[in-house]
Amino acid sequence: MTRERTWFVAILALLAPAPAAAAAGGGEILWDSFGVPHVYAKTEAGMFYGFGYAQAQAHGNLLLRIYGESRARAAEYWGPQYEASDRWLIANGQPERAVVWYKAQTPRFRADLDAFAAGIDAYVAAHRDKLDPEALKVGTITGLDVMAHAHRVMTYLYIASQSRVIGAAGNVGEGEPDPASAPNENDGSNAWAVAPARSASGHAMLLANPHLQWAPSWQTYFEANLTAPGLSIYGATQVGLPVLRFAFTKDVAFTNTVNTILGFTSYKLTPSGDGYLFDGKRRPFRIEHKSYKVLQSDGGLKTVEFDQKFAVQGPVFDLPNGGGMIALKIAGLDRPGGLAQYWDMGRAHGWADMEKALRRVQVPMFNMIYADKDGHILYLDNGILPKHLQGGDFTAWSKPVTGDTSATLWNDIHGYDDLPKVFDPASGFVQNTNDPPWVTSWPQPLDPKDYPAYVSVVGPMSQRSQMSVKLMSEGPKFDFEQFIAKKVTTRSLMADRLLPELVPLAEQSVDPELRAAAALLKAWDHCFEPDAKGALLFETWAAIFSPKNFTVQANYRDAWSASAPIATPTGLKDPQGALIMLKQAIARTKDLYGAVDRPYGDVSRFRLAGTSLPANGGFGNTGVFRTITWGPMKDGQRTPVHGETWVSMIEFGSPMKAVGLMSYGNSSQPGSRHSGDQLPFLANKTFRTLWIDRAEVEKHVEEVTRF
């Protein structure tokens, strides 16, 4: 074992969890009829303990596995398929830095992390028979594990995953979907905040609607209600995180969407002998000897050792296919307060408290959308953004820059005051669907020229984002029920823009198949609903017309324009070519789905844990706000791989209104009644009432856990 690895394991041994009774302080968990834990604790640490226990009960197998991965020991526990992930973390120094970050927390918050881990351990100790023996290989969980996982998720999955870093160098990495990929190439999250100026009741409203993959992973969301002296907070977070990232209290509400921030820079190195060139001189690489273990098929462990090179910018990686070397510099490695910042955001009682937390700039990315009981709303393009004194635009810094000069080496970050933000706009709303910050409201509140060109691209603005702006800006003030109705619209903006030109062309064709297709599309209302018979044909044609997940604009007459950001792209550049594509789409639709007019819900299904229901919603880049990304056809049907997951919609007032939904259910444990139990709400475009007062919770209790 290497010196560095021995040191890390020794630290782990010193950080054993506190005894359960000491960590808890007393309390109980009331589990409601949808598997949502309502934790009532006598102390702050007790609340964290209960939250950890609840996560282990609902997602124990998943929780232990992702903690094993975040230790950079997954290959040791489960085999070679995890080797690349472990090596990426070890090469970047994540295990050692997690120790530094953990020790950097305040004693109070460190105790909270320990309590969260102790809650996990308490559940595992009492219910080993309910957990996968493979997951149990991870053993005791500590507060350090909690910090290591947060560090991995935020830094090495969101900001600088291996696929992002290597992809930025011109190669596509492998692995699970990257939630921080270019926004127009995914179907990411939605968020709205509505001020009294647009609210019929005069109270602010907020939509939290993150979209991540449906298969259980570190991206899986968990819903909870956490109560301790002086605090009651409701919301969701990703399994393994001890704080709620999408949350509301009776005072404040906030949500996140993945933004376009460039939190890392890769530097193309110029080799020189056994070193590299920097400012005209050869420099030697600094070398650290590292290792990890890999479980073998015979049950033995193989130790893999490697020398990790470091340049002045950071760790060095060889690119595949002889692509040379890059050095990686990540912003925020010296800013360990992301979890504590989220915790303080949840404890805020108004805008002054919230802004104080946001000013710390410890959370490395994400748009922050906020509303409060006083009627304030905010959009913030948050993140730890390097300050490039020499300028350059977003595209240039998205790729490896020259690494042989100090001119490209940044040493500072932008503070809160530098970041794009919109506070209490006259329009009465802010929105984001992963797009750049410029059209956060309407009329457009921000001018890209007022910010460095590397902050974000100017465009194009996705059609999902354009639909979001239209839903918020058009028409009179709306009430909470209308707010909900806007959320569940399945209408395609792309269809609205293109079918009025395509259908008449097909109607005039001498080809009877094209005329029949025209009739089918003309009868369709442009909504992706279960009984829609034209939806599959349009989706298939749209994928041909606009390849690469409906983003290529070469076939539009008018491409997206910053001067008309919510009216473009539009029109058919080559009408006859569009008809040829329609002919191709007819054949492809028949081949894929068996008929050109098969109802959308026959093919598209919400299916999980024995439940299968006709689905609604569609690909976000067709301009559908209710986003569902469909997987490949299997046995004549397709199911979601990504999209609608956690949704909460709230309106401040007395009483507060709150509805929500966890699409795939609030548990991933085998046999749980709460896996897939909320699919009927998703299929019916309805929501659960979120029980935020104890008196309401007690009417719906199915289980009680006392600690």
Side-chain angles (χ1 to χ4, degrees):
M1 183 179 288
T2 64
R3 183 177 63 183
E4 292 88 348
R5 200 69 175 158
T6 302
W7 172 71
F8 180 59
V9 172
I11 290 291
L12 274 175
L14 291 172
L15 294 172
E28 61 184 351
I29 306 170
L30 305 186
W31 296 87
D32 73 24
S33 53
F34 292 101
V36 177
H38 300 259
V39 179
Y40 298 95
K42 296 178 181 179
T43 65
E44 180 180 304
M47 189 207 74
F48 278 86
Y49 178 94
F51 192 29
Y53 190 102
Q55 287 201 25
Q57 178 166 321
H59 293 285
N61 291 340
L62 173 61
L63 179 63
L64 294 177
R65 278 189 169 271
I66 60 179
Y67 275 178
E69 293 172 24
S70 294
R71 281 181 184 169
R73 295 177 64 187
E76 176 183 339
Y77 299 139
W78 304 301
Q81 66 269 35
Y82 294 95
E83 190 171 357
S85 172
D86 286 358
R87 184 166 179 142
W88 182 249
L89 295 178
I90 292 166
N92 279 283
Q94 177 264 1
E96 295 83 2
R97 193 177 304 105
V99 175
V100 175
W101 280 24
Y102 171 79
K103 294 171 70 174
Q105 305 307 302
T106 65
R108 177 176 174 177
F109 192 67
R110 192 163 57 243
D112 291 338
L113 299 181
D114 291 342
F116 182 80
I120 295 170
D121 290 327
Y123 178 84
V124 172
H127 301 283
R128 293 180 68 86
D129 59 317
K130 296 182 179 181
L131 296 166
D132 183 353
E134 287 295 305
L136 290 171
K137 289 180 177 180
V138 173
T140 300
I141 301 301
T142 71
L144 173 58
D145 286 309
V146 181
M147 180 56 70
H149 179 65
H151 185 20
R152 172 185 175 235
V153 167
M154 294 298 171
T155 307
Y156 295 108
L157 289 173
Y158 274 112
I159 290 290
S161 68
Q162 188 170 6
S163 63
R164 285 197 94 193
V165 172
I166 301 304
N171 299 277
V172 179
E174 297 181 356
E176 59 188 316
D178 183 354
S181 59
N184 271 349
E185 296 178 16
N186 64 34
D187 290 316
S189 306
N190 297 330
W192 292 335
V194 178
R198 288 289 289 153
S199 170
S201 70
H203 297 297
M205 299 184 282
L206 185 126
L207 162 70
N209 182 206
H211 303 153
L212 286 178
Q213 70 178 37
W214 274 42
S217 75
W218 65 270
Q219 299 183 24
T220 298
Y221 290 114
F222 183 57
E223 176 184 356
N225 179 200
L226 309 176
T227 301
L231 173 72
S232 182
I233 183 170
Y234 199 114
T237 196
Q238 283 146 294
V239 172
L241 298 181
V243 292
L244 297 178
R245 290 188 52 226
F246 310 85
F248 64 89
T249 69
K250 292 187 176 181
D251 295 327
V252 302
F254 59 90
T255 186
N256 308 211
T257 64
V258 169
N259 58 0
T260 58
I261 200 161
L262 288 176
F264 76 89
T265 305
S266 57
Y267 295 86
K268 189 68 176 289
L269 299 181
T270 302
S272 178
D274 58 356
Y276 63 102
L277 290 179
F278 189 75
D279 283 344
K281 298 179 180 179
R282 187 187 71 82
R283 286 202 178 196
F285 290 110
R286 180 171 61 86
I287 305 294
E288 290 185 11
H289 189 68
K290 296 178 178 285
S291 70
Y292 56 90
K293 296 182 184 299
V294 183
L295 180 67
Q296 304 298 293
S297 58
D298 63 0
L301 291 174
K302 175 185 176 182
T303 298
V304 178
E305 300 186 22
F306 66 98
D307 287 331
Q308 178 60 48
K309 297 177 180 177
F310 290 83
V312 65
Q313 300 93 343
V316 175
F317 301 98
D318 293 322
L319 297 178
N321 305 317
M325 295 183 296
I326 60 168
L328 175 63
K329 185 175 176 67
I330 302 173
L333 297 184
D334 59 346
R335 303 177 79 80
L339 290 178
Q341 180 178 318
Y342 271 122
W343 173 233
D344 286 342
M345 289 166 62
R347 295 196 300 164
H349 291 291
W351 171 239
D353 293 340
M354 182 62 64
E355 188 176 37
K356 182 179 179 181
L358 293 172
R359 278 190 171 278
R360 284 148 52 182
V361 193
Q362 296 285 319
V363 177
M365 70 180 310
F366 309 115
N367 299 295
M368 300 288 187
I369 294 85
Y370 164 86
D372 66 28
K373 65 180 180 181
D374 298 320
H376 296 303
I377 63 172
L378 168 79
Y379 163 81
L380 170 65
D381 186 22
N382 169 79
I384 304 175
L385 178 65
K387 185 178 290 187
H388 301 294
L389 298 179
Q390 71 276 37
D393 64 14
F394 185 90
T395 300
W397 288 102
S398 297
K399 301 173 183 178
V401 300
T402 181
D404 61 4
T405 172
S406 56
T408 59
L409 184 60
W410 52 267
N411 292 296
D412 198 3
I413 65 164
H414 286 277
Y416 171 83
D417 291 325
D418 294 344
L419 301 175
K421 62 183 71 66
V422 177
F423 181 70
D424 287 349
S427 63
F429 76 93
V430 293
Q431 66 81 38
N432 186 265
T433 70
N434 308 110
D435 271 65
W438 319 124
V439 193
T440 298
S441 194
W442 193 256
Q444 183 171 336
L446 298 172
D447 187 342
K449 295 177 182 177
D450 294 335
Y451 299 88
Y454 55 76
V455 166
S456 185
V457 293
V458 174
M461 184 180 181
S462 72
Q463 293 194 57
R464 174 165 58 99
S465 188
Q466 294 181 49
M467 176 60 86
S468 177
V469 170
K470 288 177 176 291
L471 289 169
M472 285 290 95
S473 63
E474 294 178 351
K477 293 182 180 182
F478 43 87
D479 60 22
F480 190 58
E481 287 68 32
Q482 291 166 323
F483 187 54
I484 294 171
K486 288 172 181 287
K487 164 67 194 85
V488 298
T489 180
T490 63
R491 190 173 186 91
S492 165
L493 185 61
M494 186 180 183
D496 287 347
R497 288 179 175 173
L498 297 177
L499 288 186
E501 293 185 27
L502 181 64
V503 167
L505 290 170
E507 286 178 322
Q508 297 166 18
S509 173
V510 297
D511 186 333
E513 199 169 44
L514 285 176
R515 292 199 302 272
L520 184 65
L521 293 172
K522 188 174 185 177
W524 179 48
D525 64 0
H526 304 178
C527 296
F528 286 93
E529 297 291 340
D531 59 354
K533 292 188 174 182
L536 291 171
L537 176 59
F538 173 76
E539 180 191 284
T540 306
W541 175 81
I544 299 171
F545 178 85
S546 181
K548 200 177 180 183
N549 194 21
F550 314 98
T551 62
V552 174
Q553 297 189 15
N555 292 314
Y556 283 94
R557 181 181 61 248
D558 300 310
W560 184 85
S561 168
S563 63
I566 62 171
T568 52
T570 191
L572 305 176
K573 184 177 182 179
D574 178 2
Q576 292 306 310
L579 280 181
I580 293 171
M581 293 176 191
L582 181 57
K583 185 72 173 178
Q584 295 170 346
I586 293 168
R588 189 173 298 180
T589 304
K590 290 179 179 178
D591 182 57
L592 284 172
Y593 309 120
V596 73
D597 61 350
R598 192 171 176 191
Y600 189 71
D602 283 3
V603 169
S604 309
R605 309 291 294 185
F606 293 141
R607 188 173 69 222
L608 191 64
T611 298
S612 180
L613 298 169
N616 58 77
F619 291 100
N621 283 335
T622 64
V624 177
F625 190 74
R626 186 172 174 83
T627 302
I628 297 289
T629 302
W630 300 106
M633 291 289 288
K634 184 178 180 180
D635 300 326
Q637 295 181 343
R638 61 185 187 176
T639 58
V641 295
H642 190 281
E644 296 286 319
T645 48
W646 168 243
V647 181
S648 66
M649 306 185 76
I650 66 101
E651 182 180 53
F652 290 99
S654 184
M656 185 178 212
K657 297 179 181 179
V659 299
L661 178 68
M662 187 68 78
S663 295
Y664 38 57
N666 213 35
S667 175
S668 61
Q669 283 300 97
S672 171
R673 69 173 68 91
H674 299 302
S675 176
D677 62 329
Q678 298 183 47
L679 289 181
F681 291 93
L682 186 66
N684 293 328
K685 296 166 58 174
T686 56
F687 297 96
R688 303 165 20 233
T689 296
L690 301 183
W691 299 310
I692 55 180
D693 294 321
R694 178 157 185 154
E696 283 299 312
V697 174
E698 290 178 346
K699 297 176 184 177
H700 305 281
V701 173
E702 69 174 21
E703 181 182 349
V704 178
T705 303
R706 292 186 172 85
F707 56 88

